[in-house]
Amino acid sequence: MCGIVGYIGKSHCKDLVLGGMQRLEYRGYDSAGFVFVNEKAACLSYLKRTGTVANLAKELSVFDEDGFSGIGHTRWATHGVVNEANAHPHFNCKGNIALVHNGIIEEHESLRNELIAQGHKFLSKTDSEVLVHYFSSLFDIYKSVKKATIELVKKIKGAYSIVVLIEELPDQLLVIRHNSPLVLGRQKKGFFVASDVIAFSDKVDEFAFMPEDSIAVINKNSIQLLDFSGKSLLPVWQESNLAFVDVSKDGFEHFMLKEIYEQKKVIDKIVNFYRLVGTDSKLSASDDLGNALKYQLDIEYQDRIWQQLGLSLKTVKNLKKINLIAAGTSWHACKIGQFFFESISNIQTSVYLASEFCYMPFFKEKDSIFIFLSQSGETADTLQALRLVKSHNVPTVVITNVPSSTMVQESSGFLPMQAGPEISVASTKAFSAQQSILFILANRIALELEKITLQEMKSAEEDLFMVSQVLEMAIENYKWEISNGLAEKYSAYDKYIFLGRHISYPMAMEAALKLKEISYIFAQSYPAGELKHGPIALIDETTPVVLFSALDEIIYKKLLSNAQEVKARSGHLVVFAFEGQNELIGLADYAFVLPKVNPLLAPLACTGVMQFFVYEITKRLGRPIDKPRNLAKSVTVE
Ligand code: M6R
């Protein structure tokens, strides 16, 4: 994971690099480091600290030296504990070459041993440090940056984006990309490089994504781009009109809370963005004519949505199988989406965990598509799965919140999530946005296949509007009780079981993930029907069982039996139920009761109040809610 920023040019680099690093903290925040060619001393100067970029920046602010070329790194530890020695930059033995790295170097141990045998001294436990020692020994042999780099990439395996600063070449940055994103930026006064364009989007006139397997040698006036054999490549510059939106907490105590409250707006925005063209006035003015006219407009719109997805109308009409791939919360949204595609579009759907998918045999199926869900569009597991599917010439569709992400660049088409920047590491509004988009997409496919009518499509949109209100209302209804006693009481338990069935099971998985991720309380989710096959042995009064109800009558009855099984063993039961489910509500030690909605949208209705409950529990425990330990917002290592 980790975030990299580099600058070289006519301006002082310290603030530019630190500013970029702050914007990349979502990629890791356990330690940070900055190195530059000190203009006064004409040597490399650096500072590394554990903790956030702000921590590092505070110390650097009293250090009045600066330079015109510098690189920064914000770390998410993979190899070696969190300490200053393992923070980047890393140096060669002479201390005159500095390197930052994002990714993982495979088989680094053998290279490290080779280098140690040659006399190199290592100061860290990281895989990254081998890169700088090896590069340094190659540079000693070849005396050429390009030759040394070409030899370096022949030897190393894994995923890497690397930036190197060499003391004797102060006017040059060396940049290498393989399986890990890097983007270049240029302005009149100099050049930037970073893991994500947001690091410098408002400071450059143009940016260019570095192609896979490429090397850039940047000096103050130009960039030379090469492939791994040394052949010249042309960067594809794009105008940068991506203003950086400095997202604030808007008075909320945490980003997570703000983002929980943004969900109604996000769902409404998604429905408005994706809704069919045409006005209801046409329908009511002259129903028949209105319908006919509107349908023509809709066909055009439908075509546009398939174009955006990179799918021909023929592909959509012939669809026999949908595959959904994601990680974490996005995977839970896919598990809910499966019910949408199977019951609304009547298309068989499989859901895969991205981190497992690449290691299973790939069966190419006719008339199938793969949809990848990722808030960030950078998750390495999901990206690798996308690359694998793409290599089989199967359509790859991405649903992401970040249109400039690597997944969008590499897929055949994408749908924007429209959730706005999600800053808190715990995904909240992205989860609601994903459920909403999958619901709309399932209805759109069903409309195209004539499985539903235009009127049913419209009422699906109305159902989403209604759910967005329920989601917000449920938070409002329970806010006082949660904040005044409930959260305190439930923060005292140190383990939880979450249960669901059918469409409410992914919701139970998501709730368990949310709780463990930010509160560090142990939480385990199970399909409620599995309870009797083992986990029931865990039931006692010290482990709350949180059960998510469903609105399908048969599923509800089955869940009711599971709730009775818990109570019969003196379990402590909390339920998320719906109005009228009195038997279940009666059994519970505490019940959150929500108005009835479209049964397929029941998880979405519960999403807000579940997140708020978890948030408040965590607040009582005094955890760093927006930046939980050991995590990062964007998981860019496999
Ligand atoms: O950016 P992505 O949606 O691909 O991220 C996937 C997971 O890493 C992410 O959802 C993670 O599980 C969240 N931190 C959960 O809140």
Side-chain angles (χ1 to χ4, degrees):
M1 256 131 64
C2 312
I4 291 178
V5 191
Y7 172 82
I8 182 160
K10 295 180 185 133
S11 306
H12 277 134
C13 63
K14 190 164 72 183
D15 289 345
L16 292 172
V17 172
L18 285 172
M21 285 166 69
Q22 236 135 14
R23 294 174 183 189
L24 294 191
E25 259 193 331
Y26 72 88
R27 306 176 73 91
Y29 43 79
D30 60 44
S31 43
F34 170 63
V35 59
F36 63 103
V37 181
N38 190 319
E39 64 174 312
K40 283 191 193 147
C43 65
L44 294 179
S45 294
Y46 74 96
L47 190 70
K48 311 201 254 187
R49 286 291 176 262
T50 55
T52 60
V53 175
N55 215 20
L56 179 83
K58 207 158 100 198
E59 286 199 47
L60 278 170
S61 64
V62 289
F63 190 68
D64 61 4
E65 277 152 43
D66 212 328
F68 297 98
S69 51
I71 49 184
H73 185 272
T74 161
R75 181 173 187 241
W76 183 84
T78 57
H79 298 66
V81 298
V82 177
N83 62 22
E84 275 171 22
N86 291 334
H88 299 219
H90 295 288
F91 294 86
N92 61 340
C93 294
K94 288 184 202 144
N96 59 4
I97 300 181
L99 175 147
V100 296
H101 164 232
N102 171 33
I104 288 183
I105 303 303
E106 288 166 12
E107 296 162 32
H108 63 100
E109 284 295 351
S110 55
L111 187 51
R112 173 185 280 255
N113 292 338
E114 266 178 50
L115 289 160
I116 290 173
Q118 288 166 23
H120 288 261
K121 299 251 172 319
F122 280 77
L123 301 177
S124 81
K125 299 275 182 246
T126 64
D127 54 340
S128 313
E129 197 184 352
V130 300
L131 294 170
V132 70
H133 287 278
Y134 189 50
F135 176 81
S136 168
S137 61
L138 292 168
F139 189 55
D140 282 348
I141 299 169
Y142 294 102
K143 314 278 183 242
S144 147
V145 169
K146 276 184 228 160
K147 275 199 188 136
T149 309
I150 290 165
E151 290 308 311
L152 176 86
V153 299
K154 276 187 198 159
K155 176 98 170 176
I156 52 174
K157 296 196 194 99
Y160 47 88
S161 44
I162 299 170
V163 184
V164 182
L165 200 52
I166 304 168
E167 194 173 276
E168 67 184 71
L169 300 168
D171 293 336
Q172 184 173 294
L173 281 186
L174 167 68
V175 183
I176 312 168
R177 174 196 167 153
H178 170 70
N179 266 339
S180 176
L182 273 177
V183 57
L184 306 167
R186 68 175 173 192
Q187 36 137 266
K188 284 188 191 76
K189 288 187 171 172
F191 294 94
F192 284 86
V193 60
S195 308
D196 183 335
V197 69
I198 64 157
F200 53 65
S201 53
D202 55 341
K203 297 201 167 48
V204 299
D205 306 316
E206 290 179 310
F207 66 88
F209 293 105
M210 274 189 68
E212 182 58 4
D213 292 347
S214 63
I215 301 163
V217 181
I218 314 177
N219 61 45
K220 283 187 178 161
N221 302 309
S222 64
I223 286 185
Q224 201 185 359
L225 193 64
L226 310 164
D227 68 14
F228 275 6
S229 67
K231 225 170 59 208
S232 282
L233 298 171
L234 274 184
V236 182
W237 292 105
Q238 308 177 39
E239 203 182 318
S240 176
N241 42 19
L242 305 162
F244 174 70
V245 191
D246 200 358
V247 190
S248 77
K249 289 187 199 146
D250 280 349
F252 286 92
E253 199 175 339
H254 295 98
F255 279 109
M256 183 177 177
L257 188 61
K258 177 185 172 221
E259 288 157 7
I260 288 173
Y261 272 106
E262 280 173 347
Q263 292 178 104
K264 178 180 183 314
K265 262 202 215 133
V266 168
I267 300 168
D268 293 352
K269 185 172 165 198
I270 289 169
V271 187
N272 283 321
F273 184 84
Y274 287 106
R275 81 187 313 190
L276 294 170
V277 182
T279 58
D280 287 340
S281 59
K282 274 187 198 136
L283 279 173
S284 49
S286 167
D287 217 325
D288 283 342
L289 182 63
N291 265 322
L293 183 62
K294 193 163 148 15
Y295 192 57
Q296 279 176 8
L297 289 167
D298 290 336
I299 286 172
E300 245 176 59
Y301 185 76
Q302 288 280 86
D303 283 354
R304 243 192 297 140
I305 205 174
W306 306 133
Q307 271 168 26
Q308 163 108 30
L309 283 172
L311 302 174
S312 70
L313 204 55
K314 193 170 152 229
T315 307
V316 180
K317 294 252 189 228
N318 287 336
L319 262 186
K320 300 280 175 309
K321 174 86 190 292
I322 292 174
N323 301 285
L324 300 168
I325 304 189
T329 291
S330 300
W331 180 69
H332 298 152
C334 290
K335 296 290 276 181
I336 294 173
Q338 176 175 17
F339 291 92
F340 302 160
F341 291 111
E342 292 192 335
S343 57
I344 305 170
S345 335
N346 198 21
I347 294 179
Q348 191 199 347
T349 303
S350 296
V351 181
Y352 299 97
L353 266 174
S355 54
E356 294 291 322
F357 182 79
C358 294
Y359 312 100
M360 285 152 50
F362 183 82
F363 298 102
K364 192 166 172 176
E365 293 160 321
K366 211 169 158 269
D367 301 325
S368 73
I369 57 164
F370 280 80
I371 303 178
F372 299 83
L373 252 75
S374 173
Q375 188 284 131
S376 61
E378 297 294 346
T379 302
D381 293 323
T382 314
L383 186 60
Q384 286 314 320
L386 187 153
R387 287 176 177 158
L388 179 96
V389 172
K390 206 173 143 186
S391 72
H392 289 278
N393 283 325
V394 177
T396 52
V397 168
V398 169
I399 299 178
T400 180
N401 209 18
V402 187
S404 59
S405 61
T406 311
M407 280 184 214
V408 174
Q409 291 165 50
E410 298 198 12
S411 62
S412 7
F414 96 102
L415 288 182
M417 268 166 56
Q418 305 287 342
E422 192 183 63
I423 307 295
S424 178
V425 165
S427 195
T428 52
K429 60 178 178 172
F431 182 55
S432 301
Q434 289 167 334
Q435 291 179 68
S436 308
I437 293 182
L438 291 177
F439 184 72
I440 289 177
L441 192 59
N443 276 283
R444 277 302 162 78
I445 294 174
L447 184 65
E448 204 62 76
L449 301 180
E450 296 177 18
K451 302 246 157 67
I452 62 166
T453 64
L454 196 56
Q455 210 48 55
E456 283 167 321
M457 176 76 230
K458 294 291 292 174
S459 60
E461 290 168 353
E462 292 311 317
D463 287 348
L464 270 174
F465 278 132
M466 148 96 90
V467 163
S468 79
Q469 286 180 45
V470 170
L471 181 152
E472 192 166 273
M473 210 170 77
I475 304 176
E476 283 310 308
N477 287 350
Y478 287 98
K479 193 166 128 188
W480 194 90
E481 248 179 295
I482 292 175
S483 314
N484 292 279
L486 216 54
E488 186 69 41
K489 172 175 170 183
Y490 284 101
S491 65
Y493 291 95
D494 59 6
K495 51 192 188 313
Y496 274 78
I497 293 173
F498 287 84
L499 298 178
R501 243 184 137 116
H502 192 253
I503 201 166
S504 81
Y505 173 48
M507 190 60 200
M509 290 196 269
E510 173 59 10
L513 170 61
K514 216 89 299 171
L515 185 69
K516 58 191 146 196
E517 179 180 26
I518 63 169
S519 73
Y520 320 152
I521 294 174
F522 185 84
Q524 180 72 52
S525 58
Y526 287 105
E530 282 296 295
L531 204 58
K532 57 188 176 293
H533 297 294
I536 202 159
L538 297 171
I539 305 290
D540 62 22
E541 63 288 356
T542 67
T543 312
V545 175
V546 182
L547 181 142
F548 286 87
S549 186
L551 279 158
D552 176 287
E553 262 315 299
I554 298 171
I555 305 297
Y556 168 67
K557 293 241 163 67
K558 301 285 172 204
L559 277 164
L560 190 58
S561 310
N562 301 136
Q564 269 147 351
E565 289 158 14
V566 172
K567 287 313 293 175
R569 285 154 184 88
S570 308
H572 181 98
L573 185 68
V574 176
V575 299
F576 285 79
F578 294 90
E579 283 168 0
Q581 298 186 327
N582 297 334
E583 247 185 293
L584 180 63
I585 296 165
L587 276 179
D589 294 277
Y590 189 83
F592 295 95
V593 185
L594 281 73
K596 282 190 172 158
V597 294
N598 175 332
L600 289 171
L601 297 175
L604 185 54
C606 299
T607 294
V609 67
M610 173 280 281
Q611 294 163 341
F612 185 80
F613 184 45
V614 169
Y615 168 85
E616 286 289 328
I617 289 176
T618 306
K619 216 170 102 178
R620 299 301 171 287
L621 297 171
R623 309 284 191 230
I625 294 186
D626 285 332
K627 286 184 177 164
R629 70 181 179 202
N630 306 339
L631 283 164
K633 183 69 184 158
S634 183
V635 186
T636 58
V637 290
E638 278 181 80

